[in-house]
Amino acid sequence: MEIPLNSVRRWLFTTNHKDVGILYFITSLYFLVVGGALAVLMRLQLMAPGLNILQSAPFNQAVTVHGLVMVLWFLSPLAFAFANYFVPLQIGARDLAFPRLNAMSYWFYLFGGLLAAIGFFTPGGAIDTGWTVYAPLNTAKYSPQLGVTLGGAGLLMLIASVTMSTVNFLVTIFRSRAPGMTLWRMPIYTWGILLTVFMMLFAFPSVAAGVIMLAADRLLGTLYFSSVEGGAILWDHLFWFFGHPEVYIVLVPGLVAIAEVLPVFARKPLYGKKILITALIIGSIMSFMVWAHHMFVTGIDPGFRKFMTITTETISIPFGVATLAFILTLVGASIRFTTPMLFALGGVALFIIGGITGVFNSSVALDYYLRGTYWIVAHFHYTLVGGATTGLIAALYYWWPKMTGRMFNEKLGKLHFIVYMIGFNLLYFPMHFLIDMPRRVFTYPAGMGWELPNMLATMGTIVFALSWLILFINLYQSLRKGEPAGNNPWGAWSLEWLVPSPPPRHNYDGQPVVKADGTITIQPIPANGGHHIHETHYSKWPLFISLGMFVTFLGVGLGLPVLLLGALILIGSIVGWAKEKFIAVEPAEGERWPFANVERVRLGVWTLLFGEVVLFGALIGSYIFVRINSATWPAPGEFLNPMEGAINTFILVTSSLTAILALAGAKSGNQGLLRGGLIATFILGFIFLFNKGREWSELFSHGITFSSGLPATTYYITTGAHGMHVAAGLAVLIYLIIHAFKGRITKENHAGLEGFDLYWHFVDIVWLFLFPLFYLI
Amino acid sequence: MTTALSPVTAQWQELFTLYLTIGTAVGSIVIALLIYNIIRYRHKPGSPEPADAPTPGKVPADRGTIGAALILTLIVTGILFTITLGTMETVDLIEKPPEKGTMVIKVHGFQWGWKFIYPNGLETVNEVRVPRDEVIIFAVTSDDVFHKFQLIEFKIGVDAIPGKVIWIWIKPADTGEYTIQCFELCGVGHAFMTGRLIVMEPSEFESWYKG
C-alpha cells in the first residue's frame, strides 16, 4: 500500500515510528489542554472560600480526570512521542522492531483516553473517585455511574497500549542497535526510555489486575473490593505497586531529557554518564520497593512499614546523585542560554525542591499528618510538573527543529520560560503553606488562613496557562515561517543530528556504524549486498483493531448490539492483520548484547510473558490476601472436585508436550509431526476449556455465583483470566494450523510457532499454580 | 514555639522543623551551587569551546570518576540518616499511648460525617467532647468508604478504613474547640465532612459525660 504523504490516510494508517511519534506528540498536547482546562476550572473554584463555579460533583470529576489525563495521557505519552521519534534514530535503526504493533499502541492510547473522557457526557458524569480510584468508593454500591466503568475501560486500553509499547521498545533497543552502538554508548534519552519501559513492564500489570477485578466487581458482582477481607487495603496494594513505579515512569524520561539537553548547550560531556545510568538503574529497581509509603497510616504491619520507610528514604539517594551529576556537568562549561537549555536548568532547580519535600513524606511520623494535605499536592507537582514536564519541554524545544525542519522564535521561547517559571512557582509554592488544607475539596471555609495561598495559586494558574499559550503560538509560527533548521543547529553529537531535518522515512541512506574510537559513520549498503529493502510503512489494521476494542467497551455501557458490533470489527480486523503481508526488516547485524541469540519474536514473547507473570502474580496474590484475611474458607473438595481438576491439569500438561512435538516437527522439517502436534494441542486445549465450562455451569446450577462469597469470587476470576489466556492461545493455534497446512511453517521460518510454544508453556505453568491453590489446599 | 496542644503534636512539630531546617539548608546549598555554576560557566563572547565539547558524529568521552560518585552518595546518605533517626522516635510516640486508665472513643467515619461512641455507650455525631490533660485514644474505622480522620490543630490523623480499626491518641493541654476534617476523597460530601473536637475542663466534662 502506497499513500501520498500529504493525505489524511497517511496519518490514519502509518506505521512509521516518526509519524507515530508525531501522532503521540499532537495527542498528548491535546490531552494537556483537556487536563489543563480542568485544572483552571478547579483553581477558579478554589480562588476564594465558598465559590460556586464548580460544584462538588463536577469538581470531583474534574479532579479525577485531571489526574488521570495528566499522568497517563499527557506526560508519559509526550515522553513516548520523543521516544517513538528518536529512539530508533539514536540507535541507528530504520524503525521499531514491530511497526504495526507500535501504531496499535498509539490507537489504543487515543481510544482509551476518549473512553475515559466520554464519561463527561453520560448521566452521572465522568469518573469521580480520584485518580487513585480508592476502594470501596470505586464499587457499584458507592459509585454506580457509567463514568467509572468507562474510566476503567479507558485504563485497560491504556494498559494494553503501554504493554505493546514496552515489548516493542525493549526488543528494538536490544535487537536493532547499529554495529558499535554498545549499551554504554547509547544516548542518555534512549537509556532512560529503556529503564522506563522496564518499569512499565512490571508495574502496569498490577493495576491491570486491579482494574480487571474492579470490572468484575462492577459488572459481574464479585466481591473483591466490596468485602472487608479485600477492600481498601487490597486495592491500595495493587494500585500502589503500580502507582509508585509510575511516578518514576513519568519522572525518568523528564530527567534524561534534561541530561540529553544539558551537555549540548554546556558544551561539555555529561558528567558521570555511567554513574548517572547506574543511579537510574538502582532507582528503577527500588521504585518497586517503596509502594507502601502511600499506605503508612492504613495500619499495615509496622515491620513492613519500617522497611518501606528505609527504602523510600534510600531511593532519594540515586536521584540525589543524578541531580548532582547535572550540576557537575556545568563545571568548566561554556553555557549557551538557548530556550531548551533554560528549561533544562529550570527543570533541575524545580526538581531539587520537589525532591526535598519528598523526603518529608518518607517519614511515617510526618505522614500521619501530611497524607491527604495540599503539602502533598505541592510536592508531586514540583516533581512531575517542575521536574518531568519542564524537562520534556526542554526536549520539545531541542528536538522541534529536527522533527519539523524549522527553527522556533528564540525570543518567544525565552519569554515562555520566564512566564512559565513565574506562573509555576506562583501556582505551586503557596500550596506548601496549605499544609492544613485537605486535597480534593471543592470548597473551604473562610477564616482558616487558607485564603491568601489559594488566591495566589489561582493567579499563578492563569499565568502558567498563558505560558503554554506562548509555546503554542511559537510552534504555530515556526511551522508557518520558521527559519530552516539544517541538519544540526545545536552542534549535538548523537545520530539523529547526522541526517536531514526532518529525517527521511527510512532514517539512514545506509548503515550507521560506531567505530571503536567512537566515530559515527553511515556506511553505504554494498551494492552487491543484494536487493534494496522494501519495508511496509502502512497498515489499516492497527486503527481498526483499536476501533473494534473501543466500540466493544462502549457496548458495555450502551448495550449488546453495540458490543456485538465492536466484537465483529475486532475479530474481522484481527483476521485482516493476520493475513496482511507486512515487512519490517531487522538490521542484518548490530549490537545485540545480551540477546544476540534470541530471535526478535521470541524476545517479544519473553518480554510479554514477564508482564504476564506480574498479572497472574497480582491475581494469585489477591487470592492469597483475601484468603488470609477471611475467618473461614471451604475445605478442599468442598465446592471444587479435586479429581476433575487433576484430570484437566493432566490434559493441559499433555498439550504442552504436543506443542513441543509440533515445534520439533517444524525444526526437523517433519510436516506431519508439525500438523499433528498442532491439531492435538488444539484439541487438548479445547477439552480443557470445555471441562472448565462444565465445571462453571455445574457450580452455577448449584447456585454458586460470582457473588457467593470470596471463595467463589476468587475462583471464577482467577481461573477465568487463565481460561481467557487458553482461549487466546487457541485463536493463535487456528492461525498456526492454517499456516502449517499451507506449508508456511518450515525449518527456516518458525519464529511464530516458537513464540506460541513459549506462551502456551507459560499458560500451563500458571495452571500448575492455580490447581493446587484452588483445588487442593 | 508556643506550648503544644498534645505530646504528639509537639513531637510532630519538632520533627517537621528538623526536616524543614535540613531541607531548606540542603536545597539552598544545592540551588546556590547550580546558580553559581550557571553564572561562572556562562558563555562569554570570544571564549573558546571546551576541549571536550560534543562533536557531531562522535560519541563523547567519559567524564567523572567512581570516587566522585561515592562522595556524592555519602553526602546524600549522611543527611538522610540523621533525619531517619528522628522519625523512628516520633513513630514510637505516636503509636504507644503512655498509660492505662485512658478513655477509648470509637470513631466511625461515614458518608458524610463522624460518629463517636464513648465507653459508656454514649453516641455523638460530628462533635466529640473530651477532658483536658487526659489521654484520649481514638479507635478509628469506617462504616462505608475510605476516609481519613484528621485533627488539624493537633497535627495528627489516620486513615478510616472499613473492617479495620487504627488507633491514635492525644493528651490535650488546652480547652477549646478544634477542627476535625476528612482528608481522603470520599464522594460528593467530602468537603463538608467536618466535625468539632471540644476539650473541656475535667470537672465540666465529668458532669456532661454523666448527664
Side-chain angles (χ1 to χ4, degrees), chain A residues 679-729:
Chain A
I679 290 175
T681 310
F682 184 86
I683 292 172
L684 289 166
F686 187 81
I687 295 175
F688 174 86
L689 271 192
F690 181 80
N691 283 343
K692 209 86 233 119
R694 231 187 32 194
E695 196 176 53
W696 278 40
S697 65
E698 212 164 287
L699 288 171
F700 268 95
S701 70
H702 285 90
I704 300 175
T705 64
F706 293 112
S707 40
S708 308
L710 283 166
T713 283
T714 49
Y715 164 76
Y716 281 124
I717 299 309
T718 316
T719 66
H722 177 262
M724 300 271 259
H725 278 74
V726 175

Side-chain angles (χ1 to χ4, degrees), chain B residues 18-210:
Chain B
L18 174 73
Y19 270 74
L20 197 62
T21 312
I22 295 178
T24 311
V26 172
S28 309
I29 291 168
V30 178
I31 290 181
L33 200 65
L34 175 70
I35 293 173
Y36 169 79
N37 278 332
I38 291 173
I39 294 171
R40 166 145 185 219
Y41 297 109
R42 70 190 184 279
H43 173 73
K44 299 173 198 83
S47 63
E49 284 258 293
D52 51 358
T55 330
K58 191 157 186 355
V59 181
D62 280 339
R63 185 180 168 211
T65 58
I66 293 294
L70 279 178
I71 294 168
L72 297 183
T73 313
L74 280 177
I75 295 171
V76 185
T77 317
I79 294 165
L80 284 171
F81 187 70
T82 325
I83 49 184
T84 309
L85 290 180
T87 211
M88 298 286 178
E89 216 178 284
T90 309
V91 173
D92 286 345
L93 182 78
I94 290 176
E95 292 177 357
K96 288 199 189 78
E99 61 226 66
K100 59 268 151 210
T102 51
M103 177 180 266
V104 179
I105 302 176
K106 291 183 190 157
V107 182
H108 288 247
F110 62 91
Q111 283 179 323
W112 289 275
W114 303 99
K115 185 171 76 182
F116 301 93
I117 306 171
Y118 286 83
N120 70 353
L122 179 68
E123 283 188 22
T124 60
V125 170
N126 289 345
E127 188 179 289
V128 60
R129 288 167 188 265
V130 297
R132 184 173 59 84
D133 273 339
E134 292 270 334
V135 174
I136 312 290
I137 292 177
F138 292 108
V140 182
T141 187
S142 164
D143 290 341
D144 41 47
V145 303
F146 203 126
H147 304 278
K148 189 189 182 201
F149 176 73
Q150 187 112 311
L151 303 170
I152 293 180
E153 291 86 352
F154 285 82
K155 299 289 174 258
I156 182 87
V158 79
D159 289 339
I161 300 169
K164 278 198 104 151
V165 181
I166 312 168
W167 294 22
I168 50 170
W169 67 279
I170 56 170
K171 191 179 172 193
D174 276 322
T175 56
E177 272 192 34
Y178 305 98
T179 317
I180 299 167
Q181 188 151 9
C182 177
F183 272 63
E184 178 60 54
L185 181 63
C186 55
V188 287
H190 173 52
F192 298 126
M193 191 167 158
T194 55
R196 286 188 306 168
L197 169 71
I198 300 171
V199 180
M200 309 167 82
E201 286 298 338
S203 53
E204 286 176 33
F205 175 79
E206 270 316 296
S207 57
W208 172 83
Y209 190 54
K210 295 220 167 88

Side-chain angles (χ1 to χ4, degrees), chain A residues 299-381:
Chain A
I300 53 170
D301 177 71
F304 177 61
R305 198 182 53 188
K306 205 163 259 180
F307 170 72
M308 286 281 169
T309 306
I310 292 166
T311 53
T312 302
E313 295 200 337
T314 321
I315 199 170
S316 48
I317 297 173
F319 291 96
V321 169
T323 310
L324 294 176
F326 293 160
I327 295 173
L328 288 173
T329 299
L330 302 177
V331 175
S334 174
I335 300 168
R336 264 70 163 184
F337 295 104
T338 58
T339 306
M341 186 60 165
L342 289 173
F343 275 98
L345 294 169
V348 176
L350 298 179
F351 178 65
I352 292 168
I353 299 173
I356 286 172
T357 52
V359 176
F360 286 64
N361 310 340
S362 71
S363 158
V364 176
L366 293 181
D367 206 47
Y368 262 98
Y369 186 68
L370 294 178
R371 200 187 92 65
T373 65
Y374 258 90
W375 168 274
I376 303 289
V377 180
H379 157 68
F380 69 73
H381 281 93

Side-chain angles (χ1 to χ4, degrees), chain A residues 616-617 619-621 623 640 649 652 688 692 714-715 717-723 763-777:
Chain A
F616 277 102
L619 284 168
I620 293 172
Y623 161 76
L640 293 172
T649 307
L652 202 59
F688 174 86
K692 209 86 233 119
T714 49
Y715 164 76
I717 299 309
T718 316
T719 66
H722 177 262
V763 171
D764 286 7
I765 291 169
V766 169
W767 181 254
L768 290 180
F769 281 93
L770 297 189
F771 170 59
L773 279 172
F774 282 96
Y775 291 80
L776 302 181
I777 304 176

Side-chain angles (χ1 to χ4, degrees), chain A residues 544-583:
Chain A
F544 289 155
I545 291 179
S546 318
L547 184 71
M549 201 76 207
F550 175 70
V551 177
T552 309
F553 276 132
L554 270 188
V556 173
L558 297 180
L560 200 60
V562 181
L563 196 140
L564 288 178
L565 174 71
L568 207 67
I569 302 174
L570 187 61
I571 293 167
S573 30
I574 290 174
V575 172
W577 168 299
K579 291 176 79 165
E580 185 176 56
K581 188 169 159 57
F582 190 93
I583 303 167

